[in-house]
Amino acid sequence: MKQVIMMMLLLNTLLSCSGQKPGEMLPEDYTNWEKLTATELNYPIPGHGTNLRIPYINDTGRNVNISVVNNKKTHEYPPGTIIIKEIYDSNEISPGDKPVMLTAMIKDPGNSKARGEWVWIIKNTATGEETINTDGFCITCHDDANENHPYGAGNPDSEFRDCVFFPYKK
């Protein structure tokens, strides 16, 4: 719990600098979407601690364009793709546990608040407040998804994954 509170305070401090509050950008029914990975994300990842994370992807994102460019697989998510990641209080959950925070990426290349063509949102589930991150905190790490990296599956072939660590598999 202490890690989550510290992470929320850090994110709140970083995000309060932007002064951007999008209102209700994240739909309530996201839990009906497909989970982005069957892998339990309960191991340390920079920016997320060791707390359990469950990512979901909307139907638009399931239409990811997968192609080969310069002998490397590329994943291009269409505008309107939304990936919402639930973040829990610990690295294990019990029935009835609710996430303490949601982090989200919305593919919106024309949006002035987008970084790397994605709008990055943090939602405090206790208050319902959503905040857009415009300072580069999220994109700095997520840009690593496009290269070989030490998180999760590691992207050993350095595929372009459009800033998504666990790309949708058709």
Side-chain angles (χ1 to χ4, degrees):
M1 179 67 170
K2 185 176 180 181
Q3 275 185 319
V4 171
I5 291 170
M6 293 303 292
M7 185 170 60
M8 288 179 81
L9 288 172
L10 171 66
L11 286 172
N12 191 41
T13 300
L14 290 170
L15 296 174
S16 63
C17 298
S18 73
Q20 305 294 327
K21 294 184 182 174
E24 292 295 321
M25 294 184 72
L26 306 182
E28 295 294 324
D29 67 345
Y30 73 89
T31 56
N32 295 324
W33 300 351
E34 189 169 342
K35 289 182 181 178
L36 194 51
T37 176
T39 304
E40 234 182 46
L41 305 178
N42 62 352
Y43 48 84
I45 291 182
H48 295 288
T50 60
N51 301 65
L52 180 77
R53 297 160 311 279
I54 301 174
Y56 295 85
I57 189 167
N58 70 351
D59 287 342
T60 302
R62 292 173 53 207
N63 291 314
V64 59
N65 179 29
I66 301 173
S67 60
V68 176
V69 176
N70 297 327
N71 296 320
K72 288 191 180 188
K73 189 185 282 188
T74 67
H75 302 76
E76 292 279 346
Y77 290 89
T81 295
I82 303 174
I83 297 172
I84 296 179
K85 187 171 18 182
E86 295 179 329
I87 300 177
Y88 287 84
D89 190 25
S90 69
N91 67 354
E92 294 181 9
I93 57 173
S94 300
D97 285 352
K98 302 284 184 201
V100 293
M101 178 188 336
L102 303 177
T103 58
M105 319 167 47
I106 300 176
K107 184 76 177 263
D108 190 1
N111 190 317
S112 65
K113 297 175 185 95
R115 300 296 176 261
E117 298 190 346
W118 294 90
V119 175
W120 306 87
I121 301 168
I122 290 90
K123 181 173 185 171
N124 178 328
T125 57
T127 65
E129 181 179 359
E130 294 179 1
T131 309
I132 295 177
N133 178 304
T134 58
D135 68 1
F137 181 78
C138 300
I139 186 62
T140 299
C141 288
H142 275 262
D143 199 36
D144 288 345
N146 301 323
E147 307 291 336
N148 183 281
H149 57 78
Y151 321 120
N155 194 4
D157 298 324
S158 296
E159 301 172 350
F160 177 77
R161 295 181 170 181
D162 205 358
C163 298
V164 178
F165 282 100
F166 292 91
Y168 182 74
K169 295 184 179 11
K170 291 184 175 187

